[in-house]
Amino acid sequence: MLWPRLARNLLRPPVTDAPVVPLPEVVAALRERMEAASMRRLGRSLAIRQVDAGSCNGCELEINALQNVAHDLERFGLRFVASPRHADVLLVTGPLTRNMAEALLRARAATPEPVWIVAAGDCAVDGGVFKGSYAVLGGVEAVLMPDLIIPGCPPSPTELLEGLVALVEANA
Amino acid sequence: MRAAKVLESGVIAPCMPWPRTVLDAAAWLRLREALASDPSLDLLALWGEPGFVHAAFLDIAAPRLWLASTAVEGGRVPALSPVRPGAALFERALHDLWGITAEGAVDARPWLDHGRWPVRAPLSPRPLSHSPAADPMEFLPAEGAGVHQIPVGPIHAGIIEPGHFRFHVQGETIVRLEARLGWTHKGTLSLLQGKSPRVAARFAARLSGDSTVAHSLAFARAAEAASGAEAPPRATALRAVMLELERLHNHLNDMGFIANDAAFAPLHAEAGLLREALLRAQHQAFGHRLMMDRVVPGGVAMDLSPEGQAAIEAALAGAAAGLPRLLRMYEGHASLQDRVLATGLLPPALVAAFAPGGVVGRAAGRAFDARMLTGEMADCPTQPGADVDARWRQRHAEALAAIARVRTLLAGLPPGPLTVSLGHGEAREGVALVEGFRGECLAWLALDEGGLIRAAFLRDPSWLHWPLLEAAVIGNIVADFPLINKSFNASYSGVDL
């Protein structure tokens, strides 16, 4: 008969032993080793989303030059990505124009935490020569607090690399 | 009636070296009528000043520049866009910056003003205060079965300037494109006012960073013309060297990026390396990779040392050896040729109507180069095609010519001083047209008795390239847009002002 056997199995405790509980110290130690290993293997990399918030395009020329074979920024684990949703860093140039402020804030809102804000170029630092214009809010910090500033008009690819590689080192 | 005849009938205002004629309201209408049937005058620019509207025309047969003005009556002036379609964007800017309405304009929608400034008509005599709020953007429609829209920007996927592109597509094919710019508007023209040309030069140098030498030079020459000063021969030669170097590094950049947008990376890598060597030599020779702020009103900011000259010559030798290699690579890959040939064709009727300058015009057979105005050049090479391929080849030919020109200039650099001081005393105006890598950069400025800028306008060639890009992409597939866009490489900041 099926029913008595089912009832017996439902009421009888299982023959399998109770699950073991690992020692919390062991779990913590292993997690630490795992994180260290993944940081070592995968962590030395940052995805950058560049946002021109009103520049004269001089900064863009030098940022583009980071990708040429002489500078080759990908060897440092740095790469440019098309969407802020894939980015660890927002690299912002230009005096922040009133016309671009909302777009910059929307790009920031689309970037997952944690995010580094880098202000590149004299204009992004404080508005540069365009400071005081009716059309300009000032530097990036008018709406977002930068974590790193890279001055220059425009900063050279080497200066940009120094700043960005410092971010990778700080992260690693 | 010839348009030039109408212009000759006006009252002459003292602008150097090309006088400006002031037309009354009736003569301005006669000018518009004459322009409708007389194709000899190309519209270069249209801009404002409190109480006036100014226009710059080019007669490439002469070749000469014409400046015309008319008084603004009741905040309005008859539009030129019905007879010169290139005037449309200028007229929209005229309204947004100076509060002047172009009556009968083909497009009355805002352009630079997105509603986000604390003022309306910031360059008018009495700007109105305004509480900033984003105005909704109205786009030109496209109708038909299966037509849908793709909005792109203002932030684009690559490392480029911001702009909004509204595509109407049917399947993969672009039916209509509209570019809406103004995002990088920095109020540059207002920042020029009340400053001396020496102080204001840094704004011209940052109108469009890639054309920093060309715009600085146009601005400096206009300031010198207005002040009755002439740059010393050594400064003139060094300026010409820097202008050609700027042309060369940008053409190398564009040739590489066009190939890159066709997913052909080796050419991009090779061109990028040649350009990088040039920028490093420019840094060694002129103390700045892009030579920003090196051309100043009155002359140049620094001399070229023998070591600097040697660095430039070495980089030029590299570029001269590399350019034929780039061409072989470009021509030797059928997959690349397939992408560029007959892509982004510019219809001849539109080339005639807009009269675009620079590579875009010359790659469509329009034989004009601003260096022909000053006698630096007798004629200029052109390409027939009017497609992406023609624009690539035009850049290649011009890059080779730039190398030859720099070598000639360096071989005969005259000695002497580097600057002259700009005198002042009477209110004067000056205008200059300089051939940058994109095309003609125009600068006009009016000085007051103290030698300070009363009004100014800086015109990038991109004003005429943007509407033509919109036309060139029609009928192409969306995937070819980046390629066509790169072959124009219009400046955003240069027209956003």
Side-chain angles (χ1 to χ4, degrees):
Chain A
M1 273 295 279
L2 179 68
W3 292 112
R5 193 188 297 173
L6 265 177
R8 244 189 346 264
N9 283 347
L10 278 171
L11 295 172
R12 208 168 57 187
V15 292
T16 314
D17 289 346
V20 293
V21 178
L23 292 173
E25 312 84 83
V26 175
V27 172
L30 282 172
R31 178 178 292 145
E32 213 168 277
R33 277 177 58 195
M34 175 74 117
E35 276 177 1
S38 65
M39 267 322 260
R40 201 169 55 244
R41 286 180 192 161
L42 309 167
R44 298 184 57 83
S45 153
L46 286 176
I48 306 166
R49 171 65 248 205
Q50 194 265 342
V51 179
D52 176 342
S55 94
C56 75
N57 79 31
C59 287
E60 281 60 44
L61 287 182
E62 294 297 52
I63 292 169
N64 264 315
L66 289 174
Q67 300 192 96
N68 70 28
V69 292
H71 297 111
D72 188 20
L73 92 163
E74 297 211 3
R75 71 192 146 134
F76 301 108
L78 295 160
R79 71 202 158 91
F80 289 104
V81 291
S83 169
R85 295 186 200 286
H86 307 151
D88 307 305
V89 177
L90 287 184
L91 178 63
V92 189
T93 63
L96 179 62
T97 64
R98 288 182 183 268
N99 285 354
M100 272 305 285
E102 186 192 344
L104 175 63
L105 285 174
R106 283 208 203 175
R108 170 62 189 90
T111 316
E113 296 288 345
V115 56
W116 300 94
I117 308 288
V118 180
D122 288 349
C123 289
V125 173
D126 67 351
V129 299
F130 300 102
K131 209 171 355 189
S133 159
Y134 63 87
V136 164
L137 287 168
V140 173
E141 71 170 51
V143 299
L144 290 175
M145 195 42 72
D147 298 292
L148 177 71
I149 59 172
I150 307 177
C153 188
S156 70
T158 311
E159 287 161 340
L160 287 162
L161 269 180
E162 279 167 9
L164 294 171
V165 171
L167 267 191
V168 180
E169 297 295 329
N171 245 22
Chain B
M1 192 182 198
R2 303 272 300 169
K5 276 267 174 288
V6 182
L7 289 170
E8 279 164 0
S9 73
V11 181
I12 302 291
C15 181
M16 296 298 285
W18 307 103
R20 179 167 64 84
T21 54
V22 183
L23 303 175
D24 59 25
W28 185 263
L29 283 174
R30 280 206 305 281
L31 172 70
R32 180 164 79 174
E33 214 171 289
L35 287 170
S37 57
D38 176 7
S40 68
L41 292 192
D42 301 331
L43 180 93
L44 274 176
L46 188 70
W47 69 95
E49 182 186 348
F52 283 95
V53 161
H54 308 296
F57 298 96
L58 182 69
D59 178 351
I60 67 170
R64 67 156 295 178
L65 210 62
W66 289 94
L67 296 174
S69 308
T70 193
V72 176
E73 285 169 26
R76 313 176 92 79
V77 76
L80 293 183
S81 54
V83 294
R84 286 293 180 274
L89 292 184
F90 290 111
E91 287 170 354
R92 290 164 74 179
L94 205 57
H95 180 266
D96 289 359
L97 296 182
W98 289 277
I100 299 168
T101 303
E103 217 159 21
V106 297
D107 195 338
R109 293 172 302 157
W111 178 241
L112 302 174
D113 187 352
H114 297 185
R116 298 170 189 267
W117 307 334
V119 284
R120 291 280 195 202
L123 297 175
S124 68
R126 281 176 299 281
L128 293 172
S129 78
H130 163 73
S131 29
D135 291 339
M137 275 191 184
E138 198 188 311
F139 296 96
L140 297 172
E143 285 168 17
V147 171
H148 66 279
Q149 295 186 26
I150 309 176
V152 181
I155 300 178
H156 297 156
I159 303 167
I160 37 170
E161 301 175 75
H164 182 90
F165 295 137
R166 184 61 61 108
F167 294 93
H168 280 84
V169 300
Q170 197 165 33
E172 276 194 282
T173 309
I174 301 170
V175 177
R176 164 169 252 166
L177 162 67
E178 204 186 340
R180 290 300 287 272
L181 307 182
W183 305 89
T184 74
H185 178 76
K186 299 181 260 300
T188 303
L189 297 180
S190 79
L191 291 168
L192 293 171
Q193 289 176 348
K195 296 195 170 73
S196 72
R198 266 316 269 274
V199 172
R202 71 176 97 128
F203 297 105
R206 287 159 186 79
L207 183 71
S208 181
D210 47 16
S211 304
T212 179
V213 174
H215 281 296
S216 294
L217 182 52
F219 181 81
R221 284 195 2 210
E224 287 153 16
S227 323
E230 201 177 327
R234 187 168 178 85
T236 306
L238 288 176
R239 286 169 167 191
V241 167
M242 286 190 253
L243 186 64
E244 295 310 310
L245 290 174
E246 180 173 87
R247 191 182 325 282
L248 180 58
H249 85 71
N250 277 299
H251 281 349
L252 283 169
N253 206 35
D254 287 346
M255 282 188 277
F257 270 97
I258 290 171
N260 196 47
D261 276 337
F264 191 73
L267 208 158
H268 182 220
E270 184 105 8
L273 194 57
L274 295 174
R275 175 175 178 271
E276 181 63 30
L278 197 61
L279 296 193
R280 289 178 183 190
Q282 287 166 190
H283 183 257
Q284 212 178 328
F286 297 104
H288 193 285
R289 285 164 55 92
L290 305 175
M291 302 171 288
M292 205 171 247
D293 301 320
R294 276 15 184 201
V295 174
V296 293
V300 290
M302 66 182 298
D303 203 359
L304 179 62
S305 69
E307 300 78 52
Q309 183 167 341
I312 295 285
E313 278 162 354
L316 287 182
L323 277 166
R325 215 159 55 229
L326 291 187
L327 185 62
R328 275 199 302 279
M329 211 189 275
Y330 176 78
E331 289 180 328
H333 290 82
S335 58
L336 178 58
Q337 292 288 301
D338 180 54
R339 292 292 305 278
V340 293
L341 281 163
T343 305
L345 274 168
L346 210 45
L350 286 180
V351 177
F354 281 83
V359 166
V360 172
R362 289 190 288 274
R366 184 172 180 268
F368 179 74
D369 184 306
R371 288 170 292 177
M372 288 156 78
L373 268 184
T374 49
E376 293 164 89
M377 214 175 193
D379 54 6
C380 62
T382 60
Q383 301 280 330
D387 55 1
V388 173
D389 173 63
R391 294 187 276 276
W392 194 96
R393 287 175 186 278
Q394 183 67 27
R395 286 183 172 95
H396 191 272
E398 291 184 15
L400 285 172
I403 294 174
R405 197 162 154 65
V406 177
R407 282 175 165 168
T408 311
L409 285 161
L410 289 180
L413 274 184
L418 298 172
T419 49
V420 289
S421 61
L422 304 182
H424 57 88
E426 53 178 320
R428 295 264 293 271
E429 291 175 33
V431 66
L433 197 67
V434 166
E435 188 72 25
F437 86 99
R438 280 197 180 90
E440 322 95 342
C441 302
L442 179 135
W444 170 84
L445 53 90
L447 301 179
D448 63 17
E449 290 83 356
L452 302 181
I453 295 171
R454 187 194 80 216
F457 190 67
L458 306 172
R459 178 264 196 197
D460 190 89
S462 306
W463 280 97
L464 301 182
H465 296 167
W466 282 112
L468 289 172
L469 171 68
E470 294 176 341
V473 300
I474 293 174
N476 288 267
I477 57 172
V478 178
D480 275 344
F481 171 73
L483 187 61
I484 302 167
N485 186 28
K486 200 68 218 179
S487 79
F488 276 72
N489 188 20
S491 173
Y492 300 68
S493 181
V495 298
D496 282 351
L497 298 171

